[in-house]
Amino acid sequence: MATISERKEQHLTLAVALGDGQDGGPGWPDVHLVHHALPSGTPDGVDVSTRLLGRRLPIPLVIAGMTGGHPAAAELNARLARAAERTGVAMGVGSQRAALRDPSLAGTYAVARSNAPSTLLIGNVGAAQLLDQRTERALSAADIRRAVDMIGADALALHLNFIEESVQPEGQTNAEGLTAAIGALCQDLDVPVMVKETGGGVSGPVAATLASCGAAALDVGGRGGTSFRAIEAQRAQEHAHATKRGIGRALAGWGIPTPVSVAWCAGVLPVVATGGIRSGVEAAKAIALGATAVSVGRPLLECAMRGEDAVVEWIDTFEAALRAALFLSGCRTLADLRTAPRVVLGDTRHWLTQLGLTGGPGGGG
């Protein structure tokens, strides 16, 4: 089996190669903001700032935690970090487990803080690693503290990736006592904990459980963006692991679409919407459904492969499109979006209706 470092490199390669759509679309085309033909002011006058994890962000955007743990990741994280510092957006790093097991890899993550001294920087460890697994001991409280200190993190993302783990040839799927372990982490850590799904979405009841554990925010990580299920199914095929490949195929399409998860969890915890968001207009839709901010992964990774300026250009375009969406919806702030009229159609409407939801704050659906 591959080492953690080798696996991380494979993840980056396959994420770019496979693209979106491996588990079906996220549903953003089903969500429509209603055009306001008599707007006021200008798009530049729209306030798109938000507060997340105790910090003000001028743009409601987080660069998703994607990489670290292998030599090529250092330069990618440096480029993303410099772009975050220039634009004021937040940034996450990929799972830091590799560096906790092999300290020589710590620099591939620490480069983020050295290139983004004032950025809201979010560390990252897996929830499965809070527990003893079949071939690996649980991370200790000291290990978690090292992850935070490694990058000078302002917050820690605890990622839930049990779909991926179920398909991964090296997967770790023991979840016995997980809720208690999350509660203990939230209580003991001196930075806020954001619990993050990675493609399966989060339901309202799970959000309520995480809130009772002390989570400060929730990244819903819904179905429809980069599919780690598909990535691991491809790896299983390459490793001739027929059973895991079969699980991956059987789970195609599994999960809660991102817009549904956002609407279901809004009001329970501050929500970051991740999963298939590819423009500022889709971000506006997520915020209308109740999100506090959005997170974007693969498109920014592809930009980082071209250079820092490409990342900044993407973020600038994202902001301009977000401003235009608010302006054309008759809104002056992100909060206005949550009470603006909207229409939800298609499969997303069916999800919301059968779950007894109304399409987020402000009605519609």
Side-chain angles (χ1 to χ4, degrees):
M1 293 298 176
T3 66
I4 298 175
S5 180
E6 291 169 339
R7 190 161 69 241
K8 288 185 173 297
E9 186 171 16
Q10 292 164 5
H11 284 172
L12 283 179
T13 301
L14 288 170
V16 172
L18 292 175
D20 293 335
Q22 299 299 312
D23 285 323
W28 296 117
D30 289 342
V31 182
H32 300 265
L33 301 175
V34 177
H35 178 61
H36 193 294
L38 288 173
S40 63
T42 67
D44 287 342
V46 170
D47 180 4
V48 293
S49 66
T50 193
R51 290 193 65 82
L52 178 67
L53 297 168
R55 293 277 294 276
R56 179 188 175 277
L57 301 177
I59 310 168
L61 178 63
V62 181
I63 298 175
M66 293 176 280
T67 192
H70 63 90
E75 180 56 29
L76 291 174
N77 270 338
R79 293 173 184 177
L80 292 167
R82 289 193 294 268
E85 188 74 8
R86 287 169 61 181
T87 58
V89 305
M91 176 181 169
V93 298
S95 173
Q96 294 171 262
R97 173 184 169 206
L100 293 175
R101 300 307 187 199
D102 180 358
S104 71
L105 297 170
T108 66
Y109 302 94
V111 69
R113 177 55 80 199
S114 61
N115 283 275
S118 66
T119 292
L120 171 58
L121 196 56
I122 305 168
N124 190 343
V125 296
Q129 279 75 61
L130 298 182
L131 305 170
D132 289 332
Q133 299 292 335
R134 182 169 47 86
T135 60
E136 192 172 358
R137 65 171 178 80
L139 295 176
S140 67
D143 290 330
I144 302 295
R145 183 69 253 176
R146 281 199 296 126
V148 170
D149 292 343
M150 185 186 302
I151 63 167
D154 301 296
L156 181 73
L158 181 69
H159 67 263
L160 301 165
N161 66 336
F162 285 102
I163 300 175
E164 176 186 355
E165 298 284 0
S166 295
V167 180
Q168 186 181 107
E170 309 88 345
Q172 299 181 337
T173 53
N174 175 32
E176 187 68 35
L178 181 60
T179 299
I182 293 173
L185 174 66
C186 293
Q187 181 176 358
D188 294 343
L189 202 60
D190 59 0
V191 297
V193 175
M194 177 173 70
V195 181
K196 169 183 172 63
E197 240 290 349
T198 56
V202 180
S203 68
V206 168
T209 297
L210 293 170
S212 70
C213 287
L218 180 67
D219 183 333
V220 296
R223 192 191 77 199
T226 301
S227 171
F228 284 94
R229 189 273 323 158
I231 288 170
E232 291 299 345
Q234 181 63 34
R235 288 188 65 246
Q237 178 172 321
E238 292 172 359
H239 287 83
H241 201 305
T243 299
K244 292 292 189 177
R245 183 180 68 235
I247 294 172
R249 289 176 176 174
L251 290 175
W254 187 275
I256 305 167
T258 308
V260 176
S261 194
V262 171
W264 207 351
C265 298
V268 180
L269 283 168
V271 167
V272 175
T274 306
I277 290 176
R278 299 296 178 251
S279 74
V281 173
E282 288 166 341
K285 294 177 181 182
I287 291 164
L289 293 175
T292 295
V294 304
S295 180
V296 174
R298 186 179 56 79
L300 291 172
L301 173 62
E302 292 175 344
C303 289
M305 291 177 173
R306 300 196 301 273
E308 171 191 342
D309 288 343
V311 180
V312 172
E313 181 180 358
W314 193 97
I315 293 171
D316 287 345
T317 301
F318 169 94
E319 180 182 359
L322 175 61
R323 289 182 178 277
L326 266 72
F327 175 70
L328 296 173
S329 300
C331 298
R332 306 300 297 162
T333 68
L334 298 183
D336 292 341
L337 273 175
R338 299 187 180 106
T339 56
R342 74 190 71 93
V343 175
V344 182
L345 303 173
D347 286 345
T348 304
R349 181 185 181 92
H350 293 313
W351 272 86
L352 295 173
T353 299
Q354 293 191 45
L355 291 169
L357 304 171
T358 60

